[in-house]
Amino acid sequence: MINPILSWFPSSLKDKKASAVHSNPATLDAAHRREEAVSSSGWEVLQALDERSRQVDVWGQRLQDEEIAQLIDEVKRRDDVDSLELGRNTIGPASLNALQRLFASSQSLSRLHLSGCLLGDSGVYQVSLSLEGSLSLEELFLDCNRATDESTYALERIMLTCPKLKSINMANNLLSSLGMCVTDDNTSITALNLRRNSICDKGAQAIGQFLKTKSCKLDSLDMAENEVCDKGALFLGKGLSVNKSLKELFLHGNHLEMEGIRVMGVYVSSNDTLLRITLTSAEDEVDVQVLSSL
Protein backbone atom coordinates (compact mmCIF):
# COMPACT_ATOMS: atom_id res chain seq x y z
CA MET A 1 0.00 0.00 0.00
CA ILE A 2 1.28 3.45 -0.91
CA ASN A 3 1.88 5.62 2.13
CA PRO A 4 -1.03 8.08 2.23
CA ILE A 5 -0.01 11.62 1.37
CA LEU A 6 -3.53 12.93 1.87
CA SER A 7 -4.26 11.63 5.35
CA TRP A 8 -5.33 15.16 6.25
CA PHE A 9 -8.85 14.46 4.93
CA PRO A 10 -11.38 14.98 7.78
CA SER A 11 -14.76 13.30 7.90
CA SER A 12 -16.27 16.46 6.46
CA LEU A 13 -14.13 18.80 4.43
CA LYS A 14 -16.83 21.44 4.46
CA ASP A 15 -16.99 21.40 8.25
CA LYS A 16 -13.25 21.89 8.46
CA LYS A 17 -13.28 24.90 6.18
CA ALA A 18 -16.36 26.42 7.79
CA SER A 19 -14.74 26.12 11.22
CA ALA A 20 -11.60 27.88 10.04
CA VAL A 21 -13.57 30.70 8.45
CA HIS A 22 -15.82 31.38 11.44
CA SER A 23 -12.89 31.32 13.86
CA ASN A 24 -11.35 34.24 11.96
CA PRO A 25 -13.99 36.68 10.62
CA ALA A 26 -11.31 38.65 8.81
CA THR A 27 -10.93 35.78 6.35
CA LEU A 28 -14.63 35.63 5.48
CA ASP A 29 -14.44 37.75 2.33
CA ALA A 30 -11.39 35.87 1.06
CA ALA A 31 -13.17 32.58 1.68
CA HIS A 32 -16.19 33.70 -0.34
CA ARG A 33 -13.94 34.69 -3.20
CA ARG A 34 -12.28 31.29 -3.14
CA GLU A 35 -15.67 29.58 -3.21
CA GLU A 36 -16.51 31.39 -6.40
CA ALA A 37 -13.59 29.66 -8.13
CA VAL A 38 -13.71 26.21 -6.53
CA SER A 39 -15.89 24.30 -4.06
CA SER A 40 -14.83 23.86 -0.43
CA SER A 41 -13.60 20.29 -0.94
CA GLY A 42 -11.70 21.29 -4.07
CA TRP A 43 -10.10 24.13 -2.16
CA GLU A 44 -8.84 21.68 0.44
CA VAL A 45 -7.43 19.43 -2.29
CA LEU A 46 -5.53 22.29 -3.89
CA GLN A 47 -4.10 23.35 -0.54
CA ALA A 48 -2.98 19.91 0.57
CA LEU A 49 -1.60 18.11 -2.47
CA ASP A 50 2.06 17.38 -1.98
CA GLU A 51 3.73 18.79 -5.09
CA ARG A 52 6.85 16.72 -4.42
CA SER A 53 5.19 13.32 -4.57
CA ARG A 54 4.17 11.42 -7.70
CA GLN A 55 1.83 9.16 -5.71
CA VAL A 56 -1.63 10.32 -4.64
CA ASP A 57 -3.40 8.10 -2.10
CA VAL A 58 -6.85 8.79 -0.63
CA TRP A 59 -7.76 5.16 0.06
CA GLY A 60 -10.64 4.76 2.49
CA GLN A 61 -11.27 8.48 3.02
CA ARG A 62 -14.97 8.12 2.07
CA LEU A 63 -14.85 11.00 -0.35
CA GLN A 64 -17.89 11.74 -2.48
CA ASP A 65 -18.07 11.76 -6.26
CA GLU A 66 -17.54 15.52 -6.71
CA GLU A 67 -14.62 15.55 -4.28
CA ILE A 68 -12.90 12.74 -6.17
CA ALA A 69 -13.55 14.57 -9.45
CA GLN A 70 -11.85 17.70 -8.15
CA LEU A 71 -8.88 15.69 -6.96
CA ILE A 72 -8.56 14.01 -10.38
CA ASP A 73 -8.72 17.38 -12.13
CA GLU A 74 -5.85 18.62 -9.96
CA VAL A 75 -3.86 15.49 -10.83
CA LYS A 76 -4.50 16.28 -14.50
CA ARG A 77 -3.26 19.84 -13.99
CA ARG A 78 -0.01 18.61 -12.46
CA ASP A 79 0.56 15.94 -15.11
CA ASP A 80 3.37 14.24 -13.18
CA VAL A 81 1.49 11.76 -10.92
CA ASP A 82 2.23 8.13 -11.76
CA SER A 83 0.06 6.37 -9.14
CA LEU A 84 -3.51 7.26 -8.14
CA GLU A 85 -5.16 5.36 -5.25
CA LEU A 86 -8.91 6.02 -5.06
CA GLY A 87 -10.02 2.82 -3.32
CA ARG A 88 -13.02 2.77 -0.97
CA ASN A 89 -14.41 6.12 -2.10
CA THR A 90 -17.51 7.02 -4.11
CA ILE A 91 -16.88 6.84 -7.84
CA GLY A 92 -19.74 8.28 -9.90
CA PRO A 93 -20.44 10.26 -13.07
CA ALA A 94 -18.38 13.30 -12.11
CA SER A 95 -15.25 11.35 -11.18
CA LEU A 96 -15.59 9.02 -14.19
CA ASN A 97 -15.76 12.02 -16.51
CA ALA A 98 -12.71 13.46 -14.77
CA LEU A 99 -10.88 10.14 -15.26
CA GLN A 100 -11.69 10.26 -18.96
CA ARG A 101 -10.23 13.77 -19.22
CA LEU A 102 -7.17 12.67 -17.28
CA PHE A 103 -6.35 9.59 -19.34
CA ALA A 104 -7.03 11.38 -22.61
CA SER A 105 -3.93 13.48 -22.00
CA SER A 106 -1.80 11.83 -19.31
CA GLN A 107 1.63 10.55 -20.25
CA SER A 108 2.66 9.64 -16.70
CA LEU A 109 -0.19 7.92 -14.83
CA SER A 110 0.64 4.22 -14.96
CA ARG A 111 -1.19 2.82 -11.90
CA LEU A 112 -4.88 3.25 -11.01
CA HIS A 113 -6.50 1.78 -7.89
CA LEU A 114 -10.29 1.55 -7.77
CA SER A 115 -10.41 -1.25 -5.20
CA GLY A 116 -13.48 -1.57 -3.02
CA CYS A 117 -15.49 1.18 -4.73
CA LEU A 118 -18.45 -1.21 -5.22
CA LEU A 119 -18.79 -0.19 -8.85
CA GLY A 120 -20.90 -3.15 -9.95
CA ASP A 121 -21.13 -4.16 -13.60
CA SER A 122 -22.42 -0.78 -14.78
CA GLY A 123 -19.61 1.01 -12.98
CA VAL A 124 -16.94 -1.27 -14.45
CA TYR A 125 -18.38 -0.58 -17.90
CA GLN A 126 -18.20 3.17 -17.30
CA VAL A 127 -14.59 2.77 -16.17
CA SER A 128 -13.83 0.99 -19.45
CA LEU A 129 -15.14 4.02 -21.34
CA SER A 130 -13.10 6.39 -19.19
CA LEU A 131 -9.87 4.47 -19.80
CA GLU A 132 -10.32 3.94 -23.53
CA GLY A 133 -7.22 4.84 -25.48
CA SER A 134 -4.97 5.40 -22.46
CA LEU A 135 -1.34 5.49 -23.52
CA SER A 136 0.10 5.40 -20.00
CA LEU A 137 -1.90 2.92 -17.88
CA GLU A 138 0.06 -0.22 -16.95
CA GLU A 139 -1.62 -1.49 -13.76
CA LEU A 140 -5.35 -1.49 -12.95
CA PHE A 141 -6.91 -2.57 -9.66
CA LEU A 142 -10.65 -3.37 -9.80
CA ASP A 143 -10.80 -5.85 -6.91
CA CYS A 144 -13.77 -5.89 -4.51
CA ASN A 145 -16.24 -4.25 -6.89
CA ARG A 146 -19.09 -6.80 -7.12
CA ALA A 147 -18.38 -7.40 -10.80
CA THR A 148 -20.08 -10.41 -12.39
CA ASP A 149 -19.72 -12.05 -15.81
CA GLU A 150 -21.64 -9.09 -17.21
CA SER A 151 -18.39 -7.15 -16.78
CA THR A 152 -16.40 -9.41 -19.12
CA TYR A 153 -17.14 -7.22 -22.14
CA ALA A 154 -15.90 -4.16 -20.24
CA LEU A 155 -12.74 -6.01 -19.20
CA GLU A 156 -12.10 -7.06 -22.78
CA ARG A 157 -12.60 -3.46 -23.86
CA ILE A 158 -10.04 -2.26 -21.30
CA MET A 159 -7.51 -4.86 -22.43
CA LEU A 160 -7.91 -4.03 -26.09
CA THR A 161 -7.90 -0.23 -25.82
CA CYS A 162 -5.06 0.28 -23.31
CA PRO A 163 -1.98 -0.85 -25.25
CA LYS A 164 0.47 -0.55 -22.32
CA LEU A 165 -1.70 -2.34 -19.76
CA LYS A 166 0.28 -5.18 -18.16
CA SER A 167 -1.57 -6.09 -14.97
CA ILE A 168 -5.24 -6.37 -13.96
CA ASN A 169 -6.42 -7.22 -10.45
CA MET A 170 -10.00 -8.54 -10.41
CA ALA A 171 -9.79 -10.40 -7.10
CA ASN A 172 -12.77 -10.64 -4.75
CA ASN A 173 -15.45 -10.22 -7.38
CA LEU A 174 -18.21 -12.52 -8.70
CA LEU A 175 -16.73 -13.66 -12.02
CA SER A 176 -17.35 -17.25 -13.12
CA SER A 177 -16.95 -18.03 -16.82
CA LEU A 178 -14.74 -15.24 -18.30
CA GLY A 179 -15.75 -16.24 -21.79
CA MET A 180 -15.10 -12.92 -23.46
CA CYS A 181 -12.26 -11.26 -21.55
CA VAL A 182 -9.52 -13.76 -22.36
CA THR A 183 -9.16 -13.64 -26.12
CA ASP A 184 -6.33 -14.06 -28.58
CA ASP A 185 -6.03 -10.29 -29.00
CA ASN A 186 -5.13 -9.43 -25.39
CA THR A 187 -1.43 -9.44 -26.11
CA SER A 188 -0.09 -7.00 -23.51
CA ILE A 189 -1.37 -8.55 -20.25
CA THR A 190 1.37 -10.25 -18.21
CA ALA A 191 -0.33 -10.53 -14.79
CA LEU A 192 -3.96 -11.47 -14.10
CA ASN A 193 -5.34 -11.76 -10.56
CA LEU A 194 -8.68 -13.58 -10.32
CA ARG A 195 -8.40 -14.76 -6.72
CA ARG A 196 -11.60 -15.26 -4.67
CA ASN A 197 -14.14 -15.12 -7.48
CA SER A 198 -16.52 -17.91 -8.50
CA ILE A 199 -14.53 -19.19 -11.45
CA CYS A 200 -15.76 -22.66 -12.36
CA ASP A 201 -14.59 -25.25 -14.89
CA LYS A 202 -16.08 -23.21 -17.74
CA GLY A 203 -13.95 -20.24 -16.73
CA ALA A 204 -10.91 -22.50 -16.44
CA GLN A 205 -11.63 -23.74 -19.96
CA ALA A 206 -11.59 -20.15 -21.31
CA ILE A 207 -8.32 -19.42 -19.57
CA GLY A 208 -6.84 -22.72 -20.77
CA GLN A 209 -7.68 -21.73 -24.35
CA PHE A 210 -6.01 -18.36 -23.82
CA LEU A 211 -2.86 -20.04 -22.48
CA LYS A 212 -2.64 -21.96 -25.77
CA THR A 213 -2.50 -18.86 -27.96
CA LYS A 214 0.81 -17.71 -29.35
CA SER A 215 -0.01 -14.14 -28.35
CA CYS A 216 -0.37 -15.01 -24.64
CA LYS A 217 2.22 -13.13 -22.56
CA LEU A 218 0.89 -14.00 -19.10
CA ASP A 219 3.70 -14.75 -16.67
CA SER A 220 1.60 -14.67 -13.48
CA LEU A 221 -1.92 -16.10 -13.08
CA ASP A 222 -3.72 -16.15 -9.72
CA MET A 223 -6.86 -18.32 -9.67
CA ALA A 224 -6.69 -19.28 -5.99
CA GLU A 225 -9.86 -19.76 -3.92
CA ASN A 226 -12.31 -20.28 -6.77
CA GLU A 227 -14.60 -23.16 -7.82
CA VAL A 228 -12.30 -25.04 -10.21
CA CYS A 229 -12.62 -28.85 -10.07
CA ASP A 230 -10.66 -31.69 -11.72
CA LYS A 231 -12.29 -31.03 -15.10
CA GLY A 232 -11.09 -27.44 -14.94
CA ALA A 233 -7.60 -28.67 -14.05
CA LEU A 234 -7.67 -30.71 -17.28
CA PHE A 235 -8.42 -27.57 -19.33
CA LEU A 236 -5.70 -25.59 -17.59
CA GLY A 237 -3.23 -28.46 -17.97
CA LYS A 238 -3.80 -28.63 -21.72
CA GLY A 239 -3.13 -24.92 -21.94
CA LEU A 240 0.04 -25.24 -19.88
CA SER A 241 1.32 -28.06 -22.08
CA VAL A 242 1.90 -25.60 -24.94
CA ASN A 243 2.22 -22.28 -23.11
CA LYS A 244 5.61 -20.57 -23.30
CA SER A 245 5.13 -17.58 -21.00
CA LEU A 246 3.60 -18.48 -17.62
CA LYS A 247 6.06 -18.59 -14.72
CA GLU A 248 3.73 -18.81 -11.71
CA LEU A 249 0.24 -20.23 -11.20
CA PHE A 250 -1.80 -20.09 -7.99
CA LEU A 251 -4.59 -22.68 -7.77
CA HIS A 252 -4.83 -23.41 -4.03
CA GLY A 253 -8.24 -23.15 -2.40
CA ASN A 254 -10.11 -24.73 -5.34
CA HIS A 255 -11.78 -28.17 -5.41
CA LEU A 256 -8.96 -30.24 -6.87
CA GLU A 257 -8.81 -33.90 -5.93
CA MET A 258 -5.80 -36.15 -6.42
CA GLU A 259 -6.88 -36.93 -9.98
CA GLY A 260 -6.85 -33.25 -10.88
CA ILE A 261 -3.38 -32.83 -9.39
CA ARG A 262 -2.16 -35.89 -11.31
CA VAL A 263 -3.56 -34.48 -14.56
CA MET A 264 -1.77 -31.20 -13.93
CA GLY A 265 1.43 -33.13 -13.44
CA VAL A 266 1.07 -34.95 -16.75
CA TYR A 267 0.69 -31.74 -18.73
CA VAL A 268 3.21 -29.67 -16.76
CA SER A 269 5.90 -32.22 -17.67
CA SER A 270 6.09 -30.69 -21.14
CA ASN A 271 6.23 -27.08 -19.91
CA ASP A 272 9.67 -25.49 -19.77
CA THR A 273 8.77 -22.07 -18.35
CA LEU A 274 6.55 -22.67 -15.28
CA LEU A 275 8.58 -22.10 -12.11
CA ARG A 276 6.01 -21.95 -9.33
CA ILE A 277 2.61 -23.52 -8.72
CA THR A 278 0.37 -23.88 -5.65
CA LEU A 279 -2.37 -26.52 -5.59
CA THR A 280 -3.38 -27.26 -2.00
CA SER A 281 -2.46 -24.22 0.11
CA ALA A 282 -0.65 -20.91 -0.28
CA GLU A 283 2.24 -22.18 1.83
CA ASP A 284 2.44 -25.54 0.05
CA GLU A 285 4.32 -24.57 -3.08
CA VAL A 286 4.66 -27.58 -5.36
CA ASP A 287 7.99 -28.28 -6.98
CA VAL A 288 7.23 -28.27 -10.68
CA GLN A 289 9.68 -31.10 -11.33
CA VAL A 290 8.11 -33.28 -8.64
CA LEU A 291 4.62 -32.51 -9.95
CA SER A 292 5.57 -33.56 -13.47
CA SER A 293 6.77 -36.92 -12.13
CA LEU A 294 3.42 -37.82 -10.55
Side-chain angles (χ1 to χ4, degrees), residues 128-141:
S128 74
L129 298 180
S130 298
L131 301 181
E132 185 171 358
S134 169
L135 298 178
S136 61
L137 187 64
E138 297 180 9
E139 297 180 69
L140 176 62
F141 294 77

Side-chain angles (χ1 to χ4, degrees), residues 10-52:
S11 58
S12 171
L13 294 170
K14 294 181 179 180
D15 289 346
K16 179 179 179 181
K17 186 186 175 186
S19 174
V21 170
H22 290 302
S23 65
N24 185 2
T27 66
L28 190 59
D29 290 340
H32 283 314
R33 288 194 296 272
R34 277 194 297 268
E35 284 180 315
E36 292 176 359
V38 65
S39 72
S40 57
S41 56
W43 177 74
E44 296 286 352
V45 168
L46 296 177
Q47 293 296 313
L49 268 175
D50 185 345
E51 293 284 348
R52 296 168 297 177

